[in-house]
Structures are given as structure tokens and as C-alpha cells.
Amino acid sequence: MAATDYRKPQDQLIYDLIEESNPGFKAAYPLGSLQFTNMSAITVDSADPYKRDTQVVCSGKTGSGVTGRVTVKYRRINLSTMFKNMSVVLTDWLPSNITILPRATWTASLAAKYGLSVVDADWNATYGGMTVNAVQPTLSVNSLCYTGGITGIVWKRGKQPMSNMIPDNKQVLVGRLYPGGNDFSNQSRKPVGEWQLYGLDASEIKSTIEGFAASTAVAVNDASAPVVALLNWLKANSGKTNWSTADSSVDGGIGGLTWYRYSLPSVSVPEGNTSRFNRALVIQSTSGSWFSGKLILHYNA
Amino acid sequence: MSIYLESKADLAAMLSVAAGVLIAASDIQTGNPKVTTADEKTQFSRNTRISVGFLESSTVGTSARVVYYDRLDLAPLAKANLHGAKVSPGSNLAAMIPVIRNYTGAVLTADDLVEHSAVLNDTTGVITFQLEAKSTSLGWYGSGTLTFEGAASIETAFSDDRLPGF
């Protein structure tokens, strides 16, 4: 005899029992054509090796074409025996503001954890939701396939399942991105600001850079000596020769943008942190700038 | 920005955005990333599918699920301006990773790249290093070649090739 799969729906379990004692029954009568009614407990016959404790009437559903009725006797699954001497702890997640685990939820959790087909309607009506960490009294069932009860179930609040955190409509993540996006095939794609100056050592003009305010708005066409000195240094060292204070919409222009000085490492510009330098001048692009991202000019103080 | 985080940390950051709770790289474990099928690409517009789960030790959550995201192509990174960075011929991956970090800002690890060594071209004096993503990299795919200036050619040391003789 094969082990019974208690996860099957209860009418399926009864149906299997009938087939086991009456081979060929399933072939003649599909489960969908049958109904099980008038279940009741019966006195166990001490001479019965199977200790049958229940009877139920098997008959055809209305309109199924099945006639007649048979009262079958069987033994239900006794939860008291199954869970004897066991501590049953259910760990289900619910938001912290919800302190009651609904009966339908803990029933489903119990069934899933222990491979049962017990359902919400099987429990005696007095049992409702469980509160966190409170030991429940004996919970009794009286159903087609289950009898007895479980003593001392405890609900502990579990961790949130990832499938609950990230439901199906959020499983497509934003994806990794290069500064300015990942489409490098587009001819009109803007240059990556970070890769214009990153790693260039501007320490030799640190006094010029440190002379600027920590946050400086660069005026369009600013021709002041320190700004010109910075631009000239960039022209000579960056491989790009058209740096200017023209409006930032023009290639090489930084006019209208704001630059910031940072000590590194910095949580404000983690992308600028590097083991080679302890300072950075950072210029953030705007939507109309010729580059995307940030220009990061490193130097050591 | 993505390239400035380790691949797993970036994936955790993306999960955090989707979940609305802070998920750290130390909270999760992953299966191997898979290139999405043509159907998945059409449906999700992402190049990678991966199974992500919480470690038992995580206090943030439990269980796992499949998510879709984009890994980055290494080829554009190989075109970054390296501003005269110097490397030695034969430099291995461990030596190259900080160079790449210092001159592009991109954070790569040995989990992302196949082991290669810097190679000197004796004729041109140029040193190249091949970037090749491991198929198991959580953040990168594809390949590219970084080019570094090598040592000055020996020709630059000569102003006159007519020697006086003994």
C-alpha cells in the first residue's frame, strides 16, 4: 500500500480509499460525479484492526446520472496523534502593524508546512486568528478526513518573502547604467563626463583650484584669471583642447554650470573616490550640457 | 551610478529600489546570471535573468525569486580616456583592477573578469590589456581592450646613429 499523500483534497483522499478497497471504482465513477454527505463519528469496534471511527454517505451528484448511495466507514487522520509531543511553530510574515494572523492564513501555513489538506472550514468555529508569540489552546477539527486537534501552536512573525517584497509587476529592475545610458551606438549620444578627466592629476594647479569657493557657479564667458588658468591647464593636459566658459550646451563649454570641491573619500561623490587622490573638483552636467554625468578633476592637496 | 559600485552591490541596490527596503549585498545570494532569451528580451527589455534569494543569515527577508536587469557591456569602458596611465607588461588582473578603478572610476573585481595579462607590442611600444567578462559576472558582459602608453621607444634615445668607432 502506497503512503497516503495527505496534501490531496479531502474528497480525493476518500475517493482513493474507496478505490483501494474497490478496484475499478474510479474508472466507473469520476470524482466529479460524486458527493460525500452526512459524515458522522461512529463508535470504534475494538475488534476492527483499522479502528474505523467515521462514516460518510457516498452518492451521485444531482444530474450526474449516478444512482444509489453507499455508507462507507473509514478512519480519519487524527491530528492529536500526528502532532503528539510536537511543538508547532508557524513563521509567517505579516506587516508589523498587523498583529493577528488570520485563521485562513495560519491554516494554509500549517497545511503547507506539514503536508496536510486541512482547510479553514475544518476548524471548530471558536478558533480565529493567532496573536504573535501567544500559545494557542488545543485547536480542534471535525471534518471529512481530519479529527482530533493540535495543542500549543505558536505564531512567530517570519521574515518577509522576497516574492512579497518584489511582486511580479516589479521583477524587471532598472538595470545597470553607464553615465548617460547604455546605448553607445547612437551618434548623438553625449560623451561620458566622468571619462573626460577621471584620473588626471591636477595637483600642480591645486592653488588655483583651492582658490575657488567650495561651490562656484561658472558665469558664461567668465574671463577671470583663475578660470582661464584652469581652462588652459585642461587644454594642455586632458587631450581635449576646446575647454571654454561658453555655455555648457557648446562642446567644451562649462559656462552656466556649478563646480564643487570635495575632500576624498566622500559619500557625496562616491564615484570620485580613488586611492590616488584626496581632493576633487566636480562639475555636474545639466540636461542641456554637451556631456552627461559629471566632470571629475582629481588632485592632491 | 552603476559602474561605481561592485556588481553585487549594484544588484542589491536595484533590488532595494524595487522592494522599497534596504537590501545589502551581504543579504543575498544569487544563481548564475543567464542571458535572456529573445522572447524575454521582447517582454522585459533586459539582457539578464537571475534568481536572487536571501541568505538564511539575513534579517531583511526570506526566500528567492527571479528578476530581470541589464548587465553592462565592457566595450565602452575600454574606450575611456586613461590619461597616460602606465602599466607594466605582464601585469595580471589583480594589478590591473586598481588601475582601471583609478582611471575610469569603474569598480571591477576578480569575480567580473577573466584572468589576462598586460601585453607589450614590441613594435609599437603599446601595452594592451584585454577586458573579458566572466559569464558568471553579475554586472558585466562582453569584452574590450584597454590601451596604455608603453615605455618610450628606444629610437627616441638616439639623435645620431653614426657612432665614432674604437
PDB file of all heavy atoms in Angstrom, chain B residues 52-73:
ATOM      1  N   VAL B  52      17.509  35.385  -7.423  1.00  0.00           N
ATOM      2  CA  VAL B  52      18.100  36.035  -6.252  1.00  0.00           C
ATOM      3  C   VAL B  52      17.350  35.593  -5.012  1.00  0.00           C
ATOM      4  O   VAL B  52      16.120  35.567  -5.005  1.00  0.00           O
ATOM      5  CB  VAL B  52      18.003  37.573  -6.363  1.00  0.00           C
ATOM      6  CG1 VAL B  52      18.683  38.235  -5.178  1.00  0.00           C
ATOM      7  CG2 VAL B  52      18.622  38.054  -7.644  1.00  0.00           C
ATOM      8  N   GLY B  53      18.099  35.247  -3.981  1.00  0.00           N
ATOM      9  CA  GLY B  53      17.448  34.846  -2.733  1.00  0.00           C
ATOM     10  C   GLY B  53      18.132  35.455  -1.537  1.00  0.00           C
ATOM     11  O   GLY B  53      19.301  35.866  -1.617  1.00  0.00           O
ATOM     12  N   PHE B  54      17.413  35.515  -0.444  1.00  0.00           N
ATOM     13  CA  PHE B  54      18.015  35.994   0.797  1.00  0.00           C
ATOM     14  C   PHE B  54      18.821  34.877   1.446  1.00  0.00           C
ATOM     15  O   PHE B  54      18.408  33.715   1.449  1.00  0.00           O
ATOM     16  CB  PHE B  54      16.933  36.464   1.773  1.00  0.00           C
ATOM     17  CG  PHE B  54      16.368  37.807   1.444  1.00  0.00           C
ATOM     18  CD1 PHE B  54      15.108  37.919   0.896  1.00  0.00           C
ATOM     19  CD2 PHE B  54      17.106  38.957   1.671  1.00  0.00           C
ATOM     20  CE1 PHE B  54      14.581  39.150   0.585  1.00  0.00           C
ATOM     21  CE2 PHE B  54      16.587  40.202   1.357  1.00  0.00           C
ATOM     22  CZ  PHE B  54      15.323  40.302   0.813  1.00  0.00           C
ATOM     23  N   LEU B  55      19.948  35.233   1.994  1.00  0.00           N
ATOM     24  CA  LEU B  55      20.706  34.283   2.799  1.00  0.00           C
ATOM     25  C   LEU B  55      19.938  34.000   4.086  1.00  0.00           C
ATOM     26  O   LEU B  55      19.197  34.866   4.581  1.00  0.00           O
ATOM     27  CB  LEU B  55      22.081  34.869   3.136  1.00  0.00           C
ATOM     28  CG  LEU B  55      23.074  34.944   1.978  1.00  0.00           C
ATOM     29  CD1 LEU B  55      24.231  35.875   2.330  1.00  0.00           C
ATOM     30  CD2 LEU B  55      23.610  33.554   1.657  1.00  0.00           C
ATOM     31  N   GLU B  56      20.126  32.818   4.627  1.00  0.00           N
ATOM     32  CA  GLU B  56      19.460  32.460   5.873  1.00  0.00           C
ATOM     33  C   GLU B  56      19.820  33.462   6.972  1.00  0.00           C
ATOM     34  O   GLU B  56      19.008  33.773   7.847  1.00  0.00           O
ATOM     35  CB  GLU B  56      19.864  31.043   6.281  1.00  0.00           C
ATOM     36  CG  GLU B  56      19.146  30.506   7.498  1.00  0.00           C
ATOM     37  CD  GLU B  56      17.646  30.331   7.280  1.00  0.00           C
ATOM     38  OE1 GLU B  56      17.259  30.057   6.140  1.00  0.00           O
ATOM     39  OE2 GLU B  56      16.888  30.488   8.261  1.00  0.00           O
ATOM     40  N   SER B  57      21.046  33.959   6.895  1.00  0.00           N
ATOM     41  CA  SER B  57      21.523  34.876   7.938  1.00  0.00           C
ATOM     42  C   SER B  57      20.924  36.281   7.819  1.00  0.00           C
ATOM     43  O   SER B  57      21.041  37.081   8.746  1.00  0.00           O
ATOM     44  CB  SER B  57      23.048  34.989   7.872  1.00  0.00           C
ATOM     45  OG  SER B  57      23.443  35.437   6.577  1.00  0.00           O
ATOM     46  N   SER B  58      20.277  36.581   6.706  1.00  0.00           N
ATOM     47  CA  SER B  58      19.728  37.913   6.518  1.00  0.00           C
ATOM     48  C   SER B  58      18.534  38.139   7.439  1.00  0.00           C
ATOM     49  O   SER B  58      17.695  37.254   7.615  1.00  0.00           O
ATOM     50  CB  SER B  58      19.278  38.106   5.068  1.00  0.00           C
ATOM     51  OG  SER B  58      18.558  39.321   4.943  1.00  0.00           O
ATOM     52  N   THR B  59      18.462  39.322   7.987  1.00  0.00           N
ATOM     53  CA  THR B  59      17.301  39.671   8.816  1.00  0.00           C
ATOM     54  C   THR B  59      16.275  40.447   8.005  1.00  0.00           C
ATOM     55  O   THR B  59      15.224  40.817   8.531  1.00  0.00           O
ATOM     56  CB  THR B  59      17.735  40.537  10.014  1.00  0.00           C
ATOM     57  OG1 THR B  59      18.390  41.706   9.515  1.00  0.00           O
ATOM     58  CG2 THR B  59      18.675  39.777  10.929  1.00  0.00           C
ATOM     59  N   VAL B  60      16.581  40.699   6.747  1.00  0.00           N
ATOM     60  CA  VAL B  60      15.701  41.539   5.926  1.00  0.00           C
ATOM     61  C   VAL B  60      14.533  40.751   5.345  1.00  0.00           C
ATOM     62  O   VAL B  60      13.391  41.223   5.328  1.00  0.00           O
ATOM     63  CB  VAL B  60      16.502  42.207   4.791  1.00  0.00           C
ATOM     64  CG1 VAL B  60      15.591  43.046   3.905  1.00  0.00           C
ATOM     65  CG2 VAL B  60      17.616  43.050   5.357  1.00  0.00           C
ATOM     66  N   GLY B  61      14.814  39.539   4.854  1.00  0.00           N
ATOM     67  CA  GLY B  61      13.748  38.793   4.202  1.00  0.00           C
ATOM     68  C   GLY B  61      14.113  37.342   4.028  1.00  0.00           C
ATOM     69  O   GLY B  61      15.147  36.885   4.522  1.00  0.00           O
ATOM     70  N   THR B  62      13.263  36.641   3.303  1.00  0.00           N
ATOM     71  CA  THR B  62      13.489  35.217   3.100  1.00  0.00           C
ATOM     72  C   THR B  62      13.055  34.829   1.697  1.00  0.00           C
ATOM     73  O   THR B  62      12.415  35.612   1.001  1.00  0.00           O
ATOM     74  CB  THR B  62      12.713  34.405   4.163  1.00  0.00           C
ATOM     75  OG1 THR B  62      13.018  33.025   4.026  1.00  0.00           O
ATOM     76  CG2 THR B  62      11.216  34.583   3.979  1.00  0.00           C
ATOM     77  N   SER B  63      13.437  33.658   1.293  1.00  0.00           N
ATOM     78  CA  SER B  63      13.072  33.042   0.012  1.00  0.00           C
ATOM     79  C   SER B  63      13.718  33.754  -1.181  1.00  0.00           C
ATOM     80  O   SER B  63      14.551  34.634  -1.012  1.00  0.00           O
ATOM     81  CB  SER B  63      11.561  32.921  -0.150  1.00  0.00           C
ATOM     82  OG  SER B  63      10.983  34.159  -0.442  1.00  0.00           O
ATOM     83  N   ALA B  64      13.320  33.364  -2.361  1.00  0.00           N
ATOM     84  CA  ALA B  64      14.004  33.837  -3.567  1.00  0.00           C
ATOM     85  C   ALA B  64      12.987  34.127  -4.668  1.00  0.00           C
ATOM     86  O   ALA B  64      11.817  33.762  -4.565  1.00  0.00           O
ATOM     87  CB  ALA B  64      15.000  32.784  -4.048  1.00  0.00           C
ATOM     88  N   ARG B  65      13.476  34.786  -5.710  1.00  0.00           N
ATOM     89  CA  ARG B  65      12.644  34.970  -6.888  1.00  0.00           C
ATOM     90  C   ARG B  65      13.525  35.317  -8.093  1.00  0.00           C
ATOM     91  O   ARG B  65      14.697  35.633  -7.947  1.00  0.00           O
ATOM     92  CB  ARG B  65      11.583  36.038  -6.678  1.00  0.00           C
ATOM     93  CG  ARG B  65      12.070  37.473  -6.693  1.00  0.00           C
ATOM     94  CD  ARG B  65      10.902  38.368  -7.091  1.00  0.00           C
ATOM     95  NE  ARG B  65      10.382  37.911  -8.360  1.00  0.00           N
ATOM     96  CZ  ARG B  65       9.088  37.897  -8.678  1.00  0.00           C
ATOM     97  NH1 ARG B  65       8.195  38.352  -7.841  1.00  0.00           N
ATOM     98  NH2 ARG B  65       8.676  37.454  -9.858  1.00  0.00           N
ATOM     99  N   VAL B  66      12.940  35.251  -9.258  1.00  0.00           N
ATOM    100  CA  VAL B  66      13.653  35.596 -10.491  1.00  0.00           C
ATOM    101  C   VAL B  66      13.397  37.064 -10.809  1.00  0.00           C
ATOM    102  O   VAL B  66      12.271  37.548 -10.698  1.00  0.00           O
ATOM    103  CB  VAL B  66      13.171  34.707 -11.656  1.00  0.00           C
ATOM    104  CG1 VAL B  66      13.688  35.238 -12.984  1.00  0.00           C
ATOM    105  CG2 VAL B  66      13.631  33.268 -11.440  1.00  0.00           C
ATOM    106  N   VAL B  67      14.477  37.761 -11.173  1.00  0.00           N
ATOM    107  CA  VAL B  67      14.336  39.156 -11.597  1.00  0.00           C
ATOM    108  C   VAL B  67      15.105  39.357 -12.910  1.00  0.00           C
ATOM    109  O   VAL B  67      15.942  38.531 -13.287  1.00  0.00           O
ATOM    110  CB  VAL B  67      14.870  40.142 -10.533  1.00  0.00           C
ATOM    111  CG1 VAL B  67      14.031  40.096  -9.277  1.00  0.00           C
ATOM    112  CG2 VAL B  67      16.330  39.873 -10.224  1.00  0.00           C
ATOM    113  N   TYR B  68      14.796  40.433 -13.568  1.00  0.00           N
ATOM    114  CA  TYR B  68      15.454  40.782 -14.842  1.00  0.00           C
ATOM    115  C   TYR B  68      16.120  42.141 -14.696  1.00  0.00           C
ATOM    116  O   TYR B  68      15.576  43.050 -14.074  1.00  0.00           O
ATOM    117  CB  TYR B  68      14.417  40.833 -15.972  1.00  0.00           C
ATOM    118  CG  TYR B  68      13.762  39.501 -16.235  1.00  0.00           C
ATOM    119  CD1 TYR B  68      12.649  39.096 -15.504  1.00  0.00           C
ATOM    120  CD2 TYR B  68      14.260  38.631 -17.196  1.00  0.00           C
ATOM    121  CE1 TYR B  68      12.048  37.859 -15.717  1.00  0.00           C
ATOM    122  CE2 TYR B  68      13.675  37.398 -17.418  1.00  0.00           C
ATOM    123  CZ  TYR B  68      12.564  37.015 -16.686  1.00  0.00           C
ATOM    124  OH  TYR B  68      11.992  35.797 -16.894  1.00  0.00           O
ATOM    125  N   TYR B  69      17.329  42.255 -15.264  1.00  0.00           N
ATOM    126  CA  TYR B  69      18.024  43.536 -15.228  1.00  0.00           C
ATOM    127  C   TYR B  69      19.049  43.566 -16.353  1.00  0.00           C
ATOM    128  O   TYR B  69      19.228  42.579 -17.067  1.00  0.00           O
ATOM    129  CB  TYR B  69      18.712  43.760 -13.866  1.00  0.00           C
ATOM    130  CG  TYR B  69      19.886  42.852 -13.580  1.00  0.00           C
ATOM    131  CD1 TYR B  69      21.195  43.329 -13.585  1.00  0.00           C
ATOM    132  CD2 TYR B  69      19.694  41.500 -13.313  1.00  0.00           C
ATOM    133  CE1 TYR B  69      22.274  42.497 -13.330  1.00  0.00           C
ATOM    134  CE2 TYR B  69      20.769  40.653 -13.050  1.00  0.00           C
ATOM    135  CZ  TYR B  69      22.048  41.159 -13.065  1.00  0.00           C
ATOM    136  OH  TYR B  69      23.115  40.329 -12.815  1.00  0.00           O
ATOM    137  N   ASP B  70      19.693  44.712 -16.517  1.00  0.00           N
ATOM    138  CA  ASP B  70      20.716  44.848 -17.556  1.00  0.00           C
ATOM    139  C   ASP B  70      22.103  44.750 -16.948  1.00  0.00           C
ATOM    140  O   ASP B  70      22.425  45.450 -15.987  1.00  0.00           O
ATOM    141  CB  ASP B  70      20.597  46.212 -18.247  1.00  0.00           C
ATOM    142  CG  ASP B  70      19.542  46.211 -19.336  1.00  0.00           C
ATOM    143  OD1 ASP B  70      19.319  45.142 -19.915  1.00  0.00           O
ATOM    144  OD2 ASP B  70      18.952  47.272 -19.578  1.00  0.00           O
ATOM    145  N   ARG B  71      22.930  43.877 -17.528  1.00  0.00           N
ATOM    146  CA  ARG B  71      24.357  43.952 -17.252  1.00  0.00           C
ATOM    147  C   ARG B  71      24.974  44.930 -18.253  1.00  0.00           C
ATOM    148  O   ARG B  71      24.363  45.262 -19.261  1.00  0.00           O
ATOM    149  CB  ARG B  71      24.999  42.566 -17.377  1.00  0.00           C
ATOM    150  CG  ARG B  71      24.724  41.692 -16.172  1.00  0.00           C
ATOM    151  CD  ARG B  71      25.422  40.363 -16.267  1.00  0.00           C
ATOM    152  NE  ARG B  71      24.832  39.484 -17.277  1.00  0.00           N
ATOM    153  CZ  ARG B  71      25.304  38.282 -17.596  1.00  0.00           C
ATOM    154  NH1 ARG B  71      26.389  37.839 -17.013  1.00  0.00           N
ATOM    155  NH2 ARG B  71      24.701  37.540 -18.504  1.00  0.00           N
ATOM    156  N   LEU B  72      26.194  45.362 -17.984  1.00  0.00           N
ATOM    157  CA  LEU B  72      26.846  46.369 -18.832  1.00  0.00           C
ATOM    158  C   LEU B  72      27.873  45.733 -19.756  1.00  0.00           C
ATOM    159  O   LEU B  72      28.612  44.828 -19.361  1.00  0.00           O
ATOM    160  CB  LEU B  72      27.540  47.412 -17.958  1.00  0.00           C
ATOM    161  CG  LEU B  72      26.613  48.312 -17.140  1.00  0.00           C
ATOM    162  CD1 LEU B  72      27.441  49.206 -16.221  1.00  0.00           C
ATOM    163  CD2 LEU B  72      25.740  49.160 -18.040  1.00  0.00           C
ATOM    164  N   ASP B  73      27.918  46.257 -20.957  1.00  0.00           N
ATOM    165  CA  ASP B  73      28.910  45.840 -21.948  1.00  0.00           C
ATOM    166  C   ASP B  73      30.269  46.453 -21.576  1.00  0.00           C
ATOM    167  O   ASP B  73      30.359  47.649 -21.289  1.00  0.00           O
ATOM    168  CB  ASP B  73      28.457  46.337 -23.326  1.00  0.00           C
ATOM    169  CG  ASP B  73      29.344  45.799 -24.441  1.00  0.00           C
ATOM    170  OD1 ASP B  73      30.304  45.066 -24.145  1.00  0.00           O
ATOM    171  OD2 ASP B  73      29.047  46.119 -25.607  1.00  0.00           O
TER     172      ASP B  73
END
